[in-house]
């Protein structure tokens, strides 16, 4: 089979990204323009600003991805773009540009689900390492700023299908990292900061009650799960808004508000704070709090995911999405997976967070089956993965 070079474009949230990937197995170029500086003063992604920044960045980012891969607009075989889920206005920038390119160049256009992209980031890098064997059933935990979802992934020749067997009922795990960092005056995004601070505190210092999921899931039917939970199809849902509230209460109970405000002000004066800057502005109580928080989230994610792996007799586990960049999370999954003889695969850190190489990789099976998008397809902010 001839090689196919796919140009991937990703603009679903706060990263404008483009990449060229060969046949779903080799990253030729991978360019990511982060909007970190734009959103940081607001402590989270501002959708209108995200769209504007994507508009600014999309042309130079795609051009750079082509230059770095020694490709031209004409030499790529297809254009792939994220259709959803994500911010509608942000998605539309990538989609409009991808459509314009596909139309002008007379190349096939491929629409990709962002979550499928995160799963294919793992497949892409395993193939890149020469690992083409994959044992099924595969379970994938997609854990990011917008999602904490468990999927059973099935491959039938060149077609992939997914069944959701668990998701968060409220906040995503990455969202919890971001909200906790914000309420402790640590800035945005919270995950990378808490990750680094968590080697400096005591993980046993603060106890959090385990997440309670009592009410039935009202959103489940929209989640592409296909079947109701029963003995043969148990569900493994997550919940992270409780722990955020527990931290808020802890801050109030221990009169930490003034210290949080002082930290917020001090860190906002520094353009790109380093670890020492964070440490200088954090007392022991704050370090213990974030370390205990991270431990609680990681243990909950690993505990539920491994329980799901046992219930579905899983042969291979993928852990992917922005939070999969977390050091303690990787170590915990590796350790706990090894105890059960379950191989666990992660993307490298650059491919854990949002990027376009994963979009180009997920597009490759669709390229082979000629599953092309019509010119009138649009963004789907709440797109479901099936
Ligand atoms: O996959 P991603 O780049 O974008 C979404 O699709 O949401 O994930 C971004 C999320 C943010 O919530 C960020 O705080 C979190 O991933 N994140 C981390 C780490 N790096 C990024 N969370 C924990 N530890 C990290 N090292
Ligand atoms: Zn993502």
């Amino acid at each position: 089979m001839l090689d196919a070079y796919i140009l991937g474009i990703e603009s679903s949230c706060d990263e404008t990204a483009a990449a060229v990937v060969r046949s779903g197995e080799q990253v030729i170029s991978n360019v990511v323009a982060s909007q970190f500086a734009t959103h940081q003063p607001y402590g989270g992604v501002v959708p209108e600003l995200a769209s504007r920044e994507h508009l600014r960045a999309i042309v130079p980012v795609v051009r750079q991805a082509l230059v770095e891969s020694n490709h031209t607009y004409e030499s790529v075989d297809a254009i792939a773009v994220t259709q959803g889920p994500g911010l509608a206005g942000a998605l539309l920038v990538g989609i409009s540009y991808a459509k314009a390119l596909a139309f002008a160049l007379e190349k096939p256009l491929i629409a990709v689900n962002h979550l499928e992209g995160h799963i294919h980031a793992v497949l892409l890098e395993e193939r890149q390492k020469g690992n083409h064997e994959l044992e099924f059933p595969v379970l994938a935990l997609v854990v990011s700023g917008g999602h904490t979802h468990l999927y059973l992934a099935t491959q039938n020749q060149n077609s992939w299908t997914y069944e959701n067997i668990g998701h968060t009922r409220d906040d995503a795990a990455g969202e919890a990292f971001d909200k906790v960092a914000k309420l402790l005056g640590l800035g945005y995004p919270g995950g990378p900061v808490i990750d680094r601070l968590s080697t400096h505190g005591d993980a046993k210092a603060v106890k959090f009650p385990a997440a309670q999921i009592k009410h039935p899931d009202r959103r489940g039917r929209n989640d592409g799960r296909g079947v109701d939970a029963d003995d043969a199809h148990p569900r493994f849902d997550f919940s992270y808004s409780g722990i955020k509230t527990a931290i808020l209460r802890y801050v109030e109970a221990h009169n930490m508000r003034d210290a949080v405000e002082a930290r917020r002000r001090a860190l906002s004066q520094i353009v790109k704070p380093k670890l020492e800057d964070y440490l200088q502005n954090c007392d022991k109580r704050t370090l213990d709090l974030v370390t205990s928080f991270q431990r609680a989230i990681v243990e909950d994610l690993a505990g539920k995911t491994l329980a799901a792996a046992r219930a579905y007799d899983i042969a291979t586990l993928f852990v992917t999405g922005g939070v999969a960049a977390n050091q303690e999370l990787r170590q915990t999954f590796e350790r706990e997976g090894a105890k059960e003889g379950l191989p666990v695969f992660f993307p490298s850190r650059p491919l854990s967070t949002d990027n376009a190489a994963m979009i180009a990789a997920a597009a490759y099976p669709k390229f082979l089956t000629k599953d092309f998008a019509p010119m009138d397809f649009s963004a789907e902010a709440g797109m479901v993965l099936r």
Side-chain angles (χ1 to χ4, degrees), residues 63-80:
R63 200 174 282 157
Q64 193 182 337
L66 289 172
V67 168
E68 288 184 10
S69 64
N70 276 327
H71 270 276
T72 61
Y73 291 109
E74 287 76 22
S75 70
V76 294
D77 296 293
I79 320 284

Side-chain angles (χ1 to χ4, degrees), residues 323-344:
V323 182
N326 186 275
Q327 185 69 27
E328 185 178 3
L329 179 123
R330 286 177 178 248
Q331 284 167 352
T332 305
F333 268 96
E334 257 160 18
R335 187 185 64 232
E336 299 303 314
K339 278 187 198 159
E340 308 197 10
L342 179 66
V344 186

Side-chain angles (χ1 to χ4, degrees), residues 102-117:
F103 180 76
L105 300 166
E106 297 182 23
K107 306 271 183 196
L109 180 62
I110 301 168
V112 175
N113 185 305
H114 181 84
L115 302 174
E116 182 171 26

